[in-house]
């Protein structure tokens, strides 16, 4: 018998971040980050709201200078006025210890602090300033993400490992040493945070790189050596389709192995691209892997010589966008609708079969076929559509199907 691989989560400590739990048996959460100037409270709050409405469950904001820190409480207020309770995470570099101390309202308004051990301070100040941030987290009962990044790795640690490797009788590659340094920096920083007073269930780890294979190796090792909750994502995924492919490849392999408790797709948006794209990518990764459901997804054929018309492509896109737009309403009125499967197919070869497998599907006529479109619901043919208004009629049938099947 052919069986599906069993997905077993790596057991991690559950960390409370606002209203959510990260790790343990909690669902894998979707995170995102703003790219506004945090000192502009309204612009940042507007983007947080947009990301949250798109489905981001946690949003990170940059806190890089006094003006940014001073705006955080106002951002929190504006988001709450919009009726949203999305946790805000402060991303600190270089001066986080001072900002958290000088702006107590900022420290209280944030639900989590992100600390990068590679640039929290340098030389003798590094440990002291790291400890100051952890102590502020303890004072405000906030969890911490220790976020190591290969672009800002502790240079003393990295150079020390490189020097030791150079003296070895069998030296390893520079990439191997870099990966080892990432793991050591992450775990040693977590231990130091515990020594200062944080509990394991107040610590989340990340060790981000830009290359897929490096990310997989590093996170496998973090999971092998610890039970801290883990945040997944490439540090700079890149542009366009490459960014989505790279993120999906890296994150999906780790999720399949049970590694990862939150994810982010660090996409570089084009000037005309909405920031919310990174949220949708994460949702679709989790949903297509069967780990969570957010919105009904549409199956559609790629097209071939039998489908010279682009009508089925337009209809598939229209239906997918319509469903996503309806989800804020549907998710409240129709429990379980996020699990619905739809199909929009382009010819008779696979169209009827795929439509039967879906909850609701339509098989449009291909080139030279009779100009009719059978509709299937729950595996049975229920309607045959003809004429110029097939799209509108199918959308009406979809709405009625949702009301009938998922309505109370």
């Amino acid at each position: 018998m052919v069986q599906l691989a069993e997905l077993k989560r790596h057991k991690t400590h559950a960390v409370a971040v606002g209203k959510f739990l990260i790790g343990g048996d909690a669902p894998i959460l979707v995170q995102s980050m703003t790219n506004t100037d945090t000192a502009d409270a309204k612009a940042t709050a507007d983007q947080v709201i947009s990301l949250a409405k798109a489905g981001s469950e946690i949003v990170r904001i940059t806190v890089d200078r006094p003006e940014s820190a001073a705006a955080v409480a106002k951002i929190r207020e504006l988001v709450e006025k919009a009726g949203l309770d999305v946790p805000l995470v402060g991303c600190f570099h270089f001066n986080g210890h001072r900002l958290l101390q000088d702006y107590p309202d900022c420290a209280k308004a944030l639900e989590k602090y992100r600390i990068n051990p590679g640039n929290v301070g340098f030389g003798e100040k590094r440990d002291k300033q790291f400890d100051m941030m952890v102590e502020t987290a303890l004072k405000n009962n906030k969890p911490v993400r220790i976020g190591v990044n290969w672009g800002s790795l502790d240079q003393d640690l990295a150079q020390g490992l490189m020097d030791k490797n150079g003296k070895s009788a069998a030296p390893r590659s520079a990439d191997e040493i870099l990966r080892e340094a990432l793991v050591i920096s992450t775990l040693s920083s977590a231990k130091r945070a515990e020594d200062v007073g944080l509990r394991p269930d107040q610590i989340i780890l990340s060790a981000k790189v830009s290359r897929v294979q490096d990310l997989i190796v590093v996170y496998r090792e973090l999971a092998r050596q610890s039970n801290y909750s883990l945040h997944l994502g490439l540090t700079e995924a890149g542009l366009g389709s490459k960014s989505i492919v790279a993120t999906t490849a890296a994150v999906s392999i780790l999720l399949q192995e049970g590694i990862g408790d939150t994810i982010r797709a660090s996409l570089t948006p084009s000037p005309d691209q909405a920031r919310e794209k990174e949220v949708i990518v994460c949702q679709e990764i989790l949903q297509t892997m069967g780990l969570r459901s957010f919105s009904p997804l549409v199956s559609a054929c790629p097209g071939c010589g039998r489908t010279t018309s682009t009508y089925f492509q337009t209809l598939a896109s229209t239906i997918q966008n319509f469903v996503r737009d309806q989800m804020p309403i549907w998710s409240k009125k129709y429990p379980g609708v996020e699990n619905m499967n739809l199909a929009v197919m382009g010819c008779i070869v696979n169209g009827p079969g795929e439509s039967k497998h879906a909850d609701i599907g339509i098989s449009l006529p291909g080139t030279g076929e009779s100009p009719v479109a059978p509709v299937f619901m729950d595996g049975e043919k229920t309607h045959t559509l003809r004429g110029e208004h097939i799209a509108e009629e199918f959308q009406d049938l979809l709405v009625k199907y949702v009301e009938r099947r998922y309505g109370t």
Side-chain angles (χ1 to χ4, degrees):
M1 180 183 292
V2 179
Q3 294 181 325
L4 292 174
E6 186 177 359
L7 291 171
K8 291 185 177 180
R9 289 276 296 279
H10 170 63
K11 192 67 175 178
T12 58
H13 300 289
V15 181
V17 180
K19 63 181 180 180
F20 291 109
L21 283 178
I22 294 175
D25 296 322
I28 298 166
L29 298 184
V30 173
Q31 295 198 31
S32 62
M33 186 174 183
T34 60
N35 63 354
T36 54
D37 179 359
T38 307
D40 187 337
K42 184 179 185 309
T44 302
D46 286 346
Q47 194 171 78
V48 170
I49 291 166
S50 295
L51 290 166
K53 287 183 175 179
S56 182
E57 291 154 315
I58 297 175
V59 179
R60 183 157 52 111
I61 61 176
T62 298
V63 187
D64 58 345
R65 63 192 196 278
E67 293 82 0
S68 298
V72 170
K74 180 63 175 179
I75 293 168
R76 172 82 270 162
E77 178 186 340
L78 291 171
V79 172
E80 289 178 349
K81 279 186 177 179
L84 297 171
D85 186 23
V86 57
L88 298 179
V89 177
C91 190
F92 295 96
H93 299 276
F94 308 112
N95 59 354
H97 62 291
R98 181 59 57 198
L99 294 176
L100 285 170
Q101 188 174 75
D102 292 348
Y103 295 88
D105 288 346
C106 168
K108 293 177 183 177
L110 296 169
E111 293 292 354
K112 183 175 69 174
Y113 310 153
R114 189 270 180 143
I115 306 175
N116 184 341
N119 57 25
V120 71
F122 303 98
E124 296 178 355
K125 295 181 179 179
R126 178 187 296 114
D127 290 346
K128 178 183 177 181
Q129 291 174 181
F130 179 89
D131 292 353
M132 287 174 66
M133 295 187 73
V134 173
E135 287 164 358
T136 303
L138 283 167
K139 177 183 176 181
N140 290 281
N141 193 29
K142 307 291 184 179
V144 163
R145 169 154 74 95
I146 294 173
V148 178
N149 191 303
W150 75 342
S152 52
L153 186 60
D154 181 341
Q155 291 303 302
D156 292 339
L157 170 63
Q159 191 58 53
L161 290 174
M162 289 292 185
D163 292 344
K164 181 180 178 181
N165 183 60
K167 298 174 183 178
S168 171
R172 295 175 291 159
S173 70
D175 283 346
E176 288 180 277
I177 300 303
L178 177 61
R179 291 191 290 265
E180 181 183 0
L182 282 164
V183 173
I184 291 174
S185 177
T186 306
L187 294 178
S188 62
S189 297
K191 183 180 184 305
R192 185 172 187 88
E194 284 197 56
D195 290 342
V196 175
L198 282 180
R199 304 185 308 271
D201 64 353
Q202 293 176 303
I203 298 172
I204 298 165
L205 302 184
S206 68
K208 291 191 171 184
V209 297
S210 294
R211 297 193 302 233
V212 170
Q213 296 296 345
D214 289 317
L215 192 83
I216 293 167
V217 170
V218 167
Y219 273 87
R220 282 173 174 167
E221 195 61 23
L222 288 175
R224 187 184 71 84
Q225 293 191 40
S226 78
N227 293 108
Y228 296 108
S229 290
L230 299 175
H231 170 68
L232 300 184
L234 296 170
T235 185
E236 292 104 9
L239 296 160
S241 60
K242 179 265 178 186
S243 64
I244 297 174
V245 171
T247 297
T248 304
V251 170
S252 297
I253 289 171
L254 291 167
L255 291 174
Q256 185 70 21
E257 296 178 4
I259 298 170
D261 301 293
T262 73
I263 65 172
R264 183 192 170 207
S266 298
L267 313 181
T268 302
S270 59
D272 60 342
Q273 185 182 67
R275 189 69 171 177
E276 293 78 10
K277 181 69 174 179
E278 66 177 56
V279 177
I280 295 171
V281 168
C282 287
Q283 289 181 327
E284 292 181 348
I285 289 172
L286 294 174
Q287 185 152 351
T288 54
M289 291 190 68
L291 295 169
R292 289 187 67 185
S293 293
F294 298 93
S295 175
L297 297 180
V298 177
S299 297
C301 66
C304 66
R306 299 180 63 92
T307 57
T308 51
S309 168
T310 60
Y311 188 75
F312 78 96
Q313 298 166 326
T314 302
L315 179 58
S317 177
T318 299
I319 292 298
Q320 182 71 80
N321 291 334
F322 172 74
V323 167
R324 187 169 287 280
D325 290 343
Q326 293 302 307
M327 279 308 293
I329 300 171
W330 282 4
S331 61
K332 296 175 182 178
K333 291 181 64 177
Y334 306 119
V337 69
E338 66 276 5
N339 298 305
M340 182 174 62
N341 295 309
L342 298 95
V344 178
M345 305 302 293
C347 81
I348 199 171
V349 174
N350 292 319
E354 287 284 353
S355 297
K356 288 179 181 178
H357 287 306
D359 294 309
I360 177 171
I362 185 171
S363 178
L364 294 165
T367 304
E369 295 178 16
S370 178
V372 297
V375 174
F376 296 82
M377 297 182 185
D378 301 321
E380 301 293 334
K381 181 180 174 181
T382 58
H383 299 77
T384 300
L385 305 182
R386 298 178 176 84
E388 299 179 356
H389 303 289
I390 288 177
E392 294 85 349
E393 291 175 14
F394 180 67
Q395 188 167 295
D396 288 342
L397 289 173
L398 170 60
V399 171
K400 292 175 182 176
Y401 178 83
V402 169
E403 293 172 349
R404 175 175 58 81
R405 178 167 177 181
Y406 299 98
T408 54

